[in-house]
Amino acid sequence: MLTNPSVKYRPFPQVDLPDRQWPGRTIDRAPRWLSTDMRDGNQALIDPMDAEKKQRFFDLLVKVGLKEIEVGFPSAGATEFDFISGLVRSGRIPDDVFVQVLTQSRRDLIEKSFESLRGAKQAIVHLYNAVSPAWRRIVFDMSRDEVLEIAITGAKILRDEAAKQPDTEWHFEYSPETFSTAELDFSVEVCASVMDILRPTPDRPLILNLPATVEAATPNIYADQIEWFCRNVPDRDSVVISLHTHNDRGTGVAASELGLLAGADRVEGCLFGNGERTGNVDLVTLALNMYTQGVDPQLDFSDIDSVIGTVTYCNNLPVHPRHPYAGDLVFTAFSGSHQDAIKKGFAAQEARNDEMWDVPYLPIDPKDLGRDYEAVIRVNSQSGKGGVAWVLQQDKGLKLPKRLQAHFSRHVQQLADETSRELNADDIWTAFAQAYRLEGAQPVELTDWDERRAENGDRIFTGTLDMHGKKRSVSGRGNGLLSSVLAAIADANGPALDIQSYSEHAIGQGSRTHAAAYVETTDAHGTVHWGVGIDEDVATASVRAVLSAVNSAGG
């Protein structure tokens, strides 16, 4: 890299728009959407989609709610032409969906594009030619007038070819390709000349697509360009201003959002941002950004994993695990502080009557996208007690007291350090069951028991325990059930423990409800021993929690 890049690169010029209005606006409604996955996205693939994959992708786009779909570039070859014409003949295009095809401004290519759509109920033909100085000078070696004539000639052919198929409802789109690096006055001049030929009206507007063919400036400059164009194009009410941003600078989504603020009506892009170089704007991210601001995007991503499955199959490209909204890890917290905030956020959300979503670190409710909460918090060596508690709550319904969370997290931390990997729910449950003696043979086990109240109000516990392989009848007296159990065990030469805290809660609902009980005890040395008990009966769960503490203390 150069120590002084200014000798090779120059800053992009600002737009002279001192009274710009877009910074004070808010996106409050969805734009018209067009998916160009099957054209722009497809041409960016190492292995382009075959007919089966294109049909599957088309069906997905219809399912999620796209009403305008660019289905291909019919003049590119027989594969594209045959798919598009076959799609029209198949009857699989819904009545409310417009298919669109792209063509350069050449007679033979335009004619072939119209032929591919023969018999369509309605369709959009998208004409383009590059207008920027670099393309005029380097690619075409043409003057402004010569480039303008290409657009005018193409528009005339569009008009004439549409007249030959009057049974189709034809709509037109024109792109001054490389708009973002072209002179604004020239872009308006070219578009106005196309309008003069096609004669759009408010009832039948012309789509003027203003692409950031190569993203060359910050999003605010693109927004200035869009607002300037909207102010200066003639008959603004007879055109639909469309955006087609690329992601060369990594700000394609931001550029489209600011472009909408600047007055645009429509957005072209690809699901998950596929496209040439760094890709087109990501329609999923853009739509869900609106959703999180309370705006209905009119696209349905309520089963995001199904959408991902189809797209990755058809494109043979993965969706990055950190991809906004869609990645496997975007709703997942590993660090302890994040886990604690999320866990508290869910608790507060559940306690509130207000339906407004307000959970730290989660800008959207994963359930709105068809995801569950199990993967929101995952545990590794970076995780804290809140994360461990969350996993047990989601997997087993256990709501651990805070001090028990801290006590058990040490066991999990040790296991994570030993294994050097993420711990799943089974790992955590196995560690929990081992730490609190919930499974397998234990030094002290309860065979049967009973409890009654004495005349003075004391509780008398009687039962049979299997202590180190020997059955013993025991009894004990205390001011409650738990203290009477501990008294009986101490009387049978078991460990003498004092209760410091106790809590319980129900697991589940209805006829399958269980009880979970937690008891915190200390021995004569002040060492803390926790016990956990689970049973259909709350009293039995409490007794089991005491025995768990006893066994944790060594029985």
Side-chain angles (χ1 to χ4, degrees):
M1 295 178 65
L2 301 174
T3 57
N4 181 16
S6 66
V7 302
K8 189 174 183 178
Y9 304 99
R10 65 179 64 90
F12 198 89
Q14 296 282 336
V15 177
D16 184 15
L17 195 68
D19 61 339
R20 58 182 58 84
Q21 300 299 306
W22 63 262
R25 296 173 182 160
T26 300
I27 297 174
D28 57 7
R29 64 183 182 277
R32 286 172 55 175
W33 301 102
L34 174 110
S35 163
T36 186
D37 288 273
M38 299 175 68
R39 196 277 302 170
D40 207 342
N42 188 53
Q43 71 185 34
L45 299 176
I46 298 172
D47 298 310
M49 291 183 279
D50 58 20
E52 183 271 331
K53 287 182 176 180
K54 291 195 81 169
Q55 185 63 62
R56 183 178 294 199
F57 212 123
F58 179 83
D59 293 341
L60 170 68
L61 295 171
V62 170
K63 181 179 179 182
V64 300
L66 270 299
K67 302 302 181 185
E68 300 176 38
I69 302 171
E70 194 166 69
V71 291
F73 203 149
S75 59
T79 300
E80 287 283 281
F81 184 95
D82 292 344
F83 172 77
I84 295 166
S85 59
L87 183 64
V88 171
R89 294 193 306 269
S90 70
R92 296 182 70 167
I93 302 173
D95 288 343
D96 61 346
V97 170
F98 285 78
V99 292
Q100 175 173 302
V101 298
L102 181 71
T103 179
Q104 293 167 305
S105 188
R106 277 176 37 193
R107 176 175 293 279
D108 58 328
L109 306 183
I110 296 172
E111 290 174 348
K112 192 159 191 175
S113 298
F114 273 91
E115 184 60 30
S116 73
L117 294 169
R118 183 170 295 277
K121 176 184 176 183
Q122 55 199 15
I124 304 168
V125 180
H126 180 186
L127 175 75
Y128 77 96
N129 66 298
V131 300
S132 69
W135 264 254
R136 297 195 310 260
R137 183 181 71 255
I138 299 170
V139 181
F140 305 127
D141 189 23
M142 287 184 174
S143 67
R144 283 173 56 146
D145 287 344
E146 289 173 311
V147 168
L148 175 61
E149 186 57 36
I150 290 175
I152 292 172
T153 299
K156 290 178 179 178
I157 300 171
L158 282 188
R159 178 196 61 195
D160 296 343
E161 288 300 311
K164 296 176 184 178
Q165 298 186 48
D167 292 337
T168 297
E169 180 187 329
W170 295 107
H171 293 257
F172 302 123
E173 174 174 349
Y174 173 70
S175 287
E177 192 194 8
T178 64
F179 163 83
S180 60
T181 53
E183 307 94 334
L184 286 170
D185 63 331
F186 185 52
S187 293
V188 168
E189 181 183 356
V190 174
C191 290
S193 297
V194 170
M195 293 171 65
D196 286 342
I197 304 301
L198 298 178
R199 300 292 182 183
T201 66
D203 293 332
R204 186 65 67 86
L206 170 65
I207 301 168
L208 291 178
N209 189 50
L210 307 179
T213 305
V214 177
E215 188 177 37
T218 51
N220 61 298
I221 292 179
Y222 183 65
D224 282 348
Q225 293 173 325
I226 299 301
E227 184 169 334
W228 193 98
F229 187 95
C230 288
R231 292 187 189 186
N232 290 277
V233 69
D235 301 323
R236 174 64 179 90
D237 61 350
S238 295
V239 295
V240 171
I241 302 300
S242 179
L243 308 176
H244 185 115
T245 59
H246 281 255
N247 204 41
D248 300 271
R249 293 171 54 91
T251 56
V253 168
S256 284
E257 289 180 324
L258 299 192
L260 289 172
L261 293 177
D265 312 295
R266 182 177 184 261
V267 173
E268 298 188 355
C270 293
L271 301 183
F272 307 118
N274 183 35
E276 294 280 18
R277 304 181 311 282
T278 56
N280 289 13
V281 71
D282 177 352
L283 295 186
V284 174
T285 299
L286 191 56
L288 293 177
N289 280 355
M290 294 179 191
Y291 183 82
T292 64
Q293 303 301 301
V295 176
D296 178 6
Q298 298 180 15
L299 296 177
D300 182 5
F301 297 116
S302 58
D303 186 1
I304 194 71
D305 289 329
S306 175
V307 176
I308 292 169
T310 298
V311 173
T312 54
Y313 166 75
C314 293
N315 287 349
N316 197 27
L317 289 174
V319 172
H320 194 280
R322 297 293 182 189
H323 192 104
Y325 302 109
D328 284 344
L329 297 179
V330 295
F331 301 126
T332 300
F334 288 104
S335 74
S337 60
H338 287 211
Q339 292 173 342
D340 183 63
I342 291 172
K343 181 173 179 291
K344 289 176 179 176
F346 271 107
Q349 188 77 21
E350 186 176 347
R352 287 198 311 268
N353 291 326
D354 184 2
E355 294 183 0
M356 298 302 292
W357 180 255
D358 189 18
V359 176
Y361 294 114
L362 297 179
I364 193 171
D365 185 348
K367 284 193 173 179
D368 288 352
L369 304 181
R371 297 268 176 91
D372 56 37
Y373 294 149
E374 291 182 6
V376 168
I377 291 176
R378 289 162 60 176
V379 175
N380 61 16
S381 60
Q382 306 298 312
S383 303
K385 62 182 184 297
V388 174
W390 169 269
V391 172
L392 284 173
Q393 180 174 341
Q394 296 299 305
D395 188 50
K396 299 295 183 181
L398 300 180
K399 301 176 183 178
L400 306 190
K402 285 189 175 181
R403 288 200 293 273
L404 177 54
Q405 293 178 26
H407 189 269
F408 178 54
S409 68
R410 294 192 289 270
H411 293 269
V412 175
Q413 184 69 48
Q414 180 179 351
L415 179 59
D417 289 339
E418 290 172 353
T419 59
S420 298
R421 63 172 176 83
E422 180 189 353
L423 303 180
N424 59 34
D426 288 341
D427 295 326
I428 294 171
W429 171 251
T430 298
F432 189 78
Q434 290 175 348
Y436 303 107
R437 310 301 182 92
L438 299 180
E439 296 176 350
Q442 302 298 330
V444 180
E445 294 184 339
L446 179 68
T447 301
D448 60 71
W449 67 278
D450 192 17
E451 180 248 351
R452 60 185 175 85
R453 189 181 296 274
E455 292 182 359
N456 64 354
D458 285 351
R459 298 289 185 90
I460 299 175
F461 173 85
T462 59
T464 303
L465 298 178
D466 187 329
M467 302 186 69
H468 304 284
K470 296 181 180 179
K471 291 193 179 299
R472 296 191 58 171
S473 296
V474 296
S475 65
R477 179 187 291 260
N479 59 4
L481 174 60
L482 303 189
S483 59
S484 65
V485 175
L486 286 174
I489 292 173
D491 189 57
N493 297 320
L497 302 176
D498 293 322
I499 295 174
Q500 302 301 315
S501 67
Y502 170 82
S503 62
E504 64 188 42
H505 66 80
I507 302 175
Q509 296 179 338
S511 60
R512 296 186 177 183
T513 301
H514 281 62
Y518 312 96
V519 61
E520 180 186 18
T521 68
T522 54
D523 60 21
H525 305 289
T527 303
V528 173
H529 304 282
W530 277 93
V532 179
I534 302 172
D535 196 85
E536 295 178 356
D537 175 68
V538 64
T540 302
S542 302
V543 174
R544 290 187 182 280
V546 171
L547 292 177
S548 169
V550 168
N551 286 315
S552 296

Tab-separated table of all heavy atoms in Angstrom, residues 436-449 461-474 485 489 492 494-495 540 543-552 554-555:
chain	number	residue	atom	x	y	z
A	436	TYR	N	-24.437	-32.251	41.305
A	436	TYR	CA	-25.465	-32.242	42.345
A	436	TYR	C	-26.132	-33.604	42.517
A	436	TYR	O	-27.237	-33.704	43.040
A	436	TYR	CB	-26.468	-31.114	42.061
A	436	TYR	CG	-25.747	-29.795	41.970
A	436	TYR	CD1	-25.566	-29.163	40.745
A	436	TYR	CD2	-25.169	-29.225	43.098
A	436	TYR	CE1	-24.853	-27.978	40.644
A	436	TYR	CE2	-24.448	-28.037	43.014
A	436	TYR	CZ	-24.290	-27.431	41.795
A	436	TYR	OH	-23.561	-26.265	41.715
A	437	ARG	N	-25.447	-34.610	42.056
A	437	ARG	CA	-25.785	-36.014	42.343
A	437	ARG	C	-27.228	-36.350	42.004
A	437	ARG	O	-27.975	-36.905	42.818
A	437	ARG	CB	-25.529	-36.311	43.828
A	437	ARG	CG	-24.154	-35.888	44.345
A	437	ARG	CD	-23.030	-36.566	43.572
A	437	ARG	NE	-21.719	-36.221	44.071
A	437	ARG	CZ	-21.054	-36.926	44.992
A	437	ARG	NH1	-21.599	-38.019	45.496
A	437	ARG	NH2	-19.867	-36.546	45.402
A	438	LEU	N	-27.623	-36.012	40.768
A	438	LEU	CA	-29.003	-36.239	40.353
A	438	LEU	C	-29.203	-37.568	39.646
A	438	LEU	O	-30.347	-37.998	39.463
A	438	LEU	CB	-29.453	-35.108	39.422
A	438	LEU	CG	-29.436	-33.703	40.028
A	438	LEU	CD1	-29.901	-32.686	39.006
A	438	LEU	CD2	-30.296	-33.630	41.277
A	439	GLU	N	-28.161	-38.199	39.218
A	439	GLU	CA	-28.278	-39.443	38.468
A	439	GLU	C	-27.259	-40.452	38.979
A	439	GLU	O	-26.211	-40.087	39.495
A	439	GLU	CB	-28.062	-39.180	36.961
A	439	GLU	CG	-29.109	-38.279	36.342
A	439	GLU	CD	-28.812	-37.954	34.883
A	439	GLU	OE1	-27.695	-38.278	34.418
A	439	GLU	OE2	-29.688	-37.384	34.205
A	440	GLY	N	-27.599	-41.737	38.822
A	440	GLY	CA	-26.677	-42.796	39.213
A	440	GLY	C	-26.740	-43.082	40.702
A	440	GLY	O	-27.393	-42.395	41.490
A	441	ALA	N	-26.052	-44.127	41.127
A	441	ALA	CA	-26.021	-44.531	42.541
A	441	ALA	C	-25.288	-43.484	43.369
A	441	ALA	O	-24.261	-42.948	42.951
A	441	ALA	CB	-25.353	-45.889	42.677
A	442	GLN	N	-25.825	-43.201	44.571
A	442	GLN	CA	-25.249	-42.199	45.451
A	442	GLN	C	-24.998	-42.803	46.833
A	442	GLN	O	-25.627	-43.805	47.218
A	442	GLN	CB	-26.191	-41.003	45.576
A	442	GLN	CG	-26.518	-40.332	44.251
A	442	GLN	CD	-25.297	-39.756	43.572
A	442	GLN	OE1	-24.342	-39.343	44.241
A	442	GLN	NE2	-25.305	-39.746	42.244
A	443	PRO	N	-24.090	-42.183	47.608
A	443	PRO	CA	-23.814	-42.733	48.959
A	443	PRO	C	-25.049	-42.807	49.839
A	443	PRO	O	-25.232	-43.745	50.590
A	443	PRO	CB	-22.787	-41.740	49.519
A	443	PRO	CG	-22.127	-41.146	48.321
A	443	PRO	CD	-23.190	-41.069	47.277
A	444	VAL	N	-25.923	-41.793	49.748
A	444	VAL	CA	-27.144	-41.778	50.550
A	444	VAL	C	-28.330	-41.682	49.603
A	444	VAL	O	-28.428	-40.734	48.816
A	444	VAL	CB	-27.151	-40.590	51.529
A	444	VAL	CG1	-28.450	-40.601	52.347
A	444	VAL	CG2	-25.943	-40.627	52.441
A	445	GLU	N	-29.215	-42.672	49.672
A	445	GLU	CA	-30.393	-42.672	48.820
A	445	GLU	C	-31.643	-42.922	49.660
A	445	GLU	O	-31.608	-43.680	50.631
A	445	GLU	CB	-30.274	-43.747	47.738
A	445	GLU	CG	-29.149	-43.481	46.746
A	445	GLU	CD	-29.124	-44.505	45.624
A	445	GLU	OE1	-29.682	-45.590	45.813
A	445	GLU	OE2	-28.545	-44.205	44.563
A	446	LEU	N	-32.715	-42.290	49.280
A	446	LEU	CA	-33.985	-42.399	49.996
A	446	LEU	C	-34.782	-43.569	49.445
A	446	LEU	O	-34.990	-43.669	48.243
A	446	LEU	CB	-34.775	-41.107	49.830
A	446	LEU	CG	-36.145	-41.040	50.482
A	446	LEU	CD1	-36.001	-41.040	51.995
A	446	LEU	CD2	-36.888	-39.792	50.012
A	447	THR	N	-35.196	-44.458	50.349
A	447	THR	CA	-36.020	-45.597	49.934
A	447	THR	C	-37.503	-45.279	50.109
A	447	THR	O	-38.298	-45.414	49.188
A	447	THR	CB	-35.667	-46.854	50.753
A	447	THR	OG1	-34.277	-47.148	50.567
A	447	THR	CG2	-36.491	-48.044	50.293
A	448	ASP	N	-37.876	-44.858	51.302
A	448	ASP	CA	-39.244	-44.365	51.528
A	448	ASP	C	-39.201	-43.407	52.706
A	448	ASP	O	-38.238	-43.395	53.476
A	448	ASP	CB	-40.210	-45.533	51.799
A	448	ASP	CG	-39.820	-46.338	53.023
A	448	ASP	OD1	-39.970	-45.812	54.143
A	448	ASP	OD2	-39.353	-47.490	52.854
A	449	TRP	N	-40.257	-42.612	52.832
A	449	TRP	CA	-40.263	-41.645	53.933
A	449	TRP	C	-41.674	-41.199	54.242
A	449	TRP	O	-42.596	-41.372	53.459
A	449	TRP	CB	-39.383	-40.429	53.593
A	449	TRP	CG	-39.927	-39.582	52.468
A	449	TRP	CD1	-39.807	-39.800	51.143
A	449	TRP	CD2	-40.692	-38.372	52.597
A	449	TRP	NE1	-40.428	-38.827	50.418
A	449	TRP	CE2	-40.978	-37.927	51.283
A	449	TRP	CE3	-41.154	-37.619	53.687
A	449	TRP	CZ2	-41.712	-36.773	51.038
A	449	TRP	CZ3	-41.880	-36.474	53.448
A	449	TRP	CH2	-42.159	-36.052	52.136
A	461	PHE	N	-39.671	-36.402	60.832
A	461	PHE	CA	-39.393	-37.131	59.598
A	461	PHE	C	-38.980	-38.550	59.942
A	461	PHE	O	-38.136	-38.779	60.822
A	461	PHE	CB	-38.251	-36.454	58.828
A	461	PHE	CG	-37.774	-37.228	57.627
A	461	PHE	CD1	-38.419	-37.099	56.406
A	461	PHE	CD2	-36.696	-38.094	57.726
A	461	PHE	CE1	-37.982	-37.798	55.297
A	461	PHE	CE2	-36.246	-38.810	56.616
A	461	PHE	CZ	-36.894	-38.655	55.395
A	462	THR	N	-39.588	-39.519	59.274
A	462	THR	CA	-39.181	-40.926	59.418
A	462	THR	C	-39.028	-41.506	58.029
A	462	THR	O	-39.742	-41.146	57.102
A	462	THR	CB	-40.214	-41.748	60.203
A	462	THR	OG1	-41.467	-41.690	59.532
A	462	THR	CG2	-40.366	-41.240	61.627
A	463	GLY	N	-38.067	-42.388	57.885
A	463	GLY	CA	-37.877	-42.972	56.576
A	463	GLY	C	-36.807	-44.041	56.591
A	463	GLY	O	-36.224	-44.364	57.640
A	464	THR	N	-36.580	-44.596	55.424
A	464	THR	CA	-35.546	-45.614	55.233
A	464	THR	C	-34.554	-45.090	54.219
A	464	THR	O	-34.931	-44.689	53.111
A	464	THR	CB	-36.143	-46.932	54.731
A	464	THR	OG1	-37.140	-47.378	55.657
A	464	THR	CG2	-35.059	-47.992	54.592
A	465	LEU	N	-33.307	-45.065	54.612
A	465	LEU	CA	-32.242	-44.608	53.742
A	465	LEU	C	-31.296	-45.752	53.439
A	465	LEU	O	-31.056	-46.617	54.285
A	465	LEU	CB	-31.452	-43.471	54.392
A	465	LEU	CG	-32.194	-42.179	54.723
A	465	LEU	CD1	-31.251	-41.203	55.398
A	465	LEU	CD2	-32.791	-41.567	53.466
A	466	ASP	N	-30.776	-45.726	52.215
A	466	ASP	CA	-29.689	-46.636	51.872
A	466	ASP	C	-28.413	-45.813	52.012
A	466	ASP	O	-28.106	-44.962	51.182
A	466	ASP	CB	-29.865	-47.134	50.432
A	466	ASP	CG	-28.861	-48.218	50.075
A	466	ASP	OD1	-27.737	-48.182	50.614
A	466	ASP	OD2	-29.180	-49.081	49.245
A	467	MET	N	-27.672	-46.063	53.079
A	467	MET	CA	-26.471	-45.294	53.378
A	467	MET	C	-25.251	-46.168	53.169
A	467	MET	O	-25.034	-47.134	53.905
A	467	MET	CB	-26.495	-44.736	54.798
A	467	MET	CG	-27.707	-43.851	55.082
A	467	MET	SD	-27.667	-43.062	56.694
A	467	MET	CE	-26.317	-41.905	56.498
A	468	HIS	N	-24.514	-45.861	52.091
A	468	HIS	CA	-23.303	-46.609	51.759
A	468	HIS	C	-23.572	-48.102	51.639
A	468	HIS	O	-22.786	-48.941	52.102
A	468	HIS	CB	-22.209	-46.347	52.800
A	468	HIS	CG	-21.887	-44.889	52.965
A	468	HIS	ND1	-21.143	-44.170	52.064
A	468	HIS	CD2	-22.258	-44.004	53.957
A	468	HIS	CE1	-21.047	-42.915	52.473
A	468	HIS	NE2	-21.728	-42.795	53.616
A	469	GLY	N	-24.717	-48.408	51.024
A	469	GLY	CA	-25.045	-49.800	50.760
A	469	GLY	C	-25.803	-50.500	51.876
A	469	GLY	O	-26.154	-51.668	51.733
A	470	LYS	N	-26.055	-49.801	52.967
A	470	LYS	CA	-26.780	-50.404	54.074
A	470	LYS	C	-28.065	-49.636	54.320
A	470	LYS	O	-28.064	-48.410	54.382
A	470	LYS	CB	-25.926	-50.393	55.342
A	470	LYS	CG	-24.658	-51.243	55.228
A	470	LYS	CD	-23.877	-51.206	56.539
A	470	LYS	CE	-22.610	-52.056	56.435
A	470	LYS	NZ	-21.828	-52.025	57.694
A	471	LYS	N	-29.151	-50.385	54.508
A	471	LYS	CA	-30.434	-49.751	54.764
A	471	LYS	C	-30.540	-49.416	56.244
A	471	LYS	O	-30.219	-50.220	57.101
A	471	LYS	CB	-31.585	-50.664	54.348
A	471	LYS	CG	-31.693	-50.844	52.833
A	471	LYS	CD	-33.013	-51.480	52.450
A	471	LYS	CE	-33.137	-51.645	50.946
A	471	LYS	NZ	-33.090	-50.352	50.245
A	472	ARG	N	-31.037	-48.188	56.492
A	472	ARG	CA	-31.184	-47.742	57.873
A	472	ARG	C	-32.495	-46.996	58.015
A	472	ARG	O	-32.875	-46.190	57.164
A	472	ARG	CB	-30.041	-46.808	58.267
A	472	ARG	CG	-28.676	-47.481	58.264
A	472	ARG	CD	-27.646	-46.589	58.908
A	472	ARG	NE	-28.008	-46.237	60.281
A	472	ARG	CZ	-27.187	-45.611	61.126
A	472	ARG	NH1	-25.969	-45.289	60.726
A	472	ARG	NH2	-27.571	-45.315	62.344
A	473	SER	N	-33.182	-47.317	59.102
A	473	SER	CA	-34.379	-46.555	59.453
A	473	SER	C	-33.936	-45.346	60.249
A	473	SER	O	-33.142	-45.451	61.190
A	473	SER	CB	-35.339	-47.404	60.279
A	473	SER	OG	-35.812	-48.489	59.524
A	474	VAL	N	-34.432	-44.196	59.862
A	474	VAL	CA	-33.995	-42.954	60.499
A	474	VAL	C	-35.205	-42.134	60.878
A	474	VAL	O	-36.300	-42.300	60.333
A	474	VAL	CB	-33.089	-42.141	59.570
A	474	VAL	CG1	-31.795	-42.889	59.253
A	474	VAL	CG2	-33.828	-41.775	58.286
A	485	VAL	N	-35.322	-33.629	58.066
A	485	VAL	CA	-34.550	-34.581	57.261
A	485	VAL	C	-33.076	-34.505	57.626
A	485	VAL	O	-32.409	-35.531	57.814
A	485	VAL	CB	-34.744	-34.281	55.754
A	485	VAL	CG1	-33.843	-35.193	54.913
A	485	VAL	CG2	-36.195	-34.470	55.356
A	489	ILE	N	-30.592	-37.460	59.226
A	489	ILE	CA	-29.337	-37.912	58.603
A	489	ILE	C	-28.173	-37.736	59.565
A	489	ILE	O	-27.296	-38.597	59.671
A	489	ILE	CB	-29.108	-37.145	57.291
A	489	ILE	CG1	-30.160	-37.570	56.259
A	489	ILE	CG2	-27.701	-37.381	56.735
A	489	ILE	CD1	-30.160	-36.769	54.990
A	492	ALA	N	-27.992	-40.354	62.013
A	492	ALA	CA	-27.514	-41.637	61.481
A	492	ALA	C	-26.045	-41.534	61.079
A	492	ALA	O	-25.570	-42.300	60.253
A	492	ALA	CB	-28.355	-42.019	60.268
A	494	GLY	N	-24.583	-39.213	59.414
A	494	GLY	CA	-24.323	-38.527	58.152
A	494	GLY	C	-23.768	-37.145	58.440
A	494	GLY	O	-23.620	-36.740	59.609
A	495	PRO	N	-23.456	-36.377	57.413
A	495	PRO	CA	-22.901	-35.036	57.627
A	495	PRO	C	-23.918	-34.101	58.274
A	495	PRO	O	-25.113	-34.159	57.983
A	495	PRO	CB	-22.550	-34.565	56.204
A	495	PRO	CG	-23.402	-35.378	55.306
A	495	PRO	CD	-23.578	-36.699	55.966
A	540	THR	N	-41.440	-34.163	48.008
A	540	THR	CA	-40.409	-35.140	47.662
A	540	THR	C	-39.228	-34.453	46.976
A	540	THR	O	-38.063	-34.801	47.220
A	540	THR	CB	-40.990	-36.226	46.746
A	540	THR	OG1	-42.091	-36.847	47.407
A	540	THR	CG2	-39.940	-37.270	46.410
A	543	VAL	N	-37.104	-33.013	49.721
A	543	VAL	CA	-36.304	-34.035	50.394
A	543	VAL	C	-35.138	-34.459	49.513
A	543	VAL	O	-34.002	-34.628	49.977
A	543	VAL	CB	-37.193	-35.240	50.769
A	543	VAL	CG1	-36.349	-36.380	51.339
A	543	VAL	CG2	-38.267	-34.817	51.764
A	544	ARG	N	-35.395	-34.615	48.222
A	544	ARG	CA	-34.322	-35.007	47.307
A	544	ARG	C	-33.233	-33.930	47.237
A	544	ARG	O	-32.051	-34.233	47.087
A	544	ARG	CB	-34.895	-35.265	45.911
A	544	ARG	CG	-35.764	-36.517	45.820
A	544	ARG	CD	-36.166	-36.800	44.379
A	544	ARG	NE	-37.035	-37.961	44.279
A	544	ARG	CZ	-36.615	-39.225	44.296
A	544	ARG	NH1	-35.305	-39.469	44.409
A	544	ARG	NH2	-37.464	-40.225	44.198
A	545	ALA	N	-33.645	-32.654	47.327
A	545	ALA	CA	-32.656	-31.581	47.325
A	545	ALA	C	-31.743	-31.681	48.543
A	545	ALA	O	-30.527	-31.469	48.439
A	545	ALA	CB	-33.368	-30.230	47.297
A	546	VAL	N	-32.323	-32.007	49.696
A	546	VAL	CA	-31.499	-32.173	50.897
A	546	VAL	C	-30.528	-33.329	50.718
A	546	VAL	O	-29.327	-33.225	51.035
A	546	VAL	CB	-32.390	-32.392	52.127
A	546	VAL	CG1	-31.546	-32.784	53.333
A	546	VAL	CG2	-33.190	-31.141	52.440
A	547	LEU	N	-31.005	-34.463	50.202
A	547	LEU	CA	-30.125	-35.612	49.990
A	547	LEU	C	-29.043	-35.279	48.964
A	547	LEU	O	-27.905	-35.749	49.066
A	547	LEU	CB	-30.940	-36.814	49.521
A	547	LEU	CG	-31.902	-37.414	50.561
A	547	LEU	CD1	-32.696	-38.558	49.953
A	547	LEU	CD2	-31.144	-37.897	51.777
A	548	SER	N	-29.381	-34.454	47.963
A	548	SER	CA	-28.382	-34.019	46.999
A	548	SER	C	-27.262	-33.251	47.686
A	548	SER	O	-26.074	-33.452	47.395
A	548	SER	CB	-29.056	-33.153	45.930
A	548	SER	OG	-28.114	-32.497	45.124
A	549	ALA	N	-27.629	-32.351	48.615
A	549	ALA	CA	-26.619	-31.593	49.352
A	549	ALA	C	-25.779	-32.513	50.230
A	549	ALA	O	-24.558	-32.350	50.339
A	549	ALA	CB	-27.304	-30.515	50.183
A	550	VAL	N	-26.448	-33.480	50.858
A	550	VAL	CA	-25.739	-34.440	51.701
A	550	VAL	C	-24.713	-35.218	50.883
A	550	VAL	O	-23.551	-35.388	51.275
A	550	VAL	CB	-26.744	-35.397	52.388
A	550	VAL	CG1	-26.024	-36.583	53.026
A	550	VAL	CG2	-27.571	-34.640	53.422
A	551	ASN	N	-25.116	-35.698	49.730
A	551	ASN	CA	-24.196	-36.456	48.883
A	551	ASN	C	-23.084	-35.572	48.335
A	551	ASN	O	-21.943	-36.015	48.174
A	551	ASN	CB	-24.965	-37.114	47.738
A	551	ASN	CG	-25.774	-38.305	48.204
A	551	ASN	OD1	-25.288	-39.143	48.968
A	551	ASN	ND2	-27.030	-38.378	47.777
A	552	SER	N	-23.400	-34.305	48.045
A	552	SER	CA	-22.357	-33.386	47.594
A	552	SER	C	-21.332	-33.137	48.691
A	552	SER	O	-20.152	-32.894	48.420
A	552	SER	CB	-22.977	-32.045	47.164
A	552	SER	OG	-23.832	-32.225	46.049
A	554	GLY	N	-20.362	-35.389	50.684
A	554	GLY	CA	-19.621	-36.628	50.902
A	554	GLY	C	-20.426	-37.713	51.566
A	554	GLY	O	-19.907	-38.803	51.842
A	555	GLY	N	-21.715	-37.434	51.807
A	555	GLY	CA	-22.578	-38.462	52.374
A	555	GLY	C	-22.250	-38.793	53.798
A	555	GLY	O	-22.545	-39.859	54.298
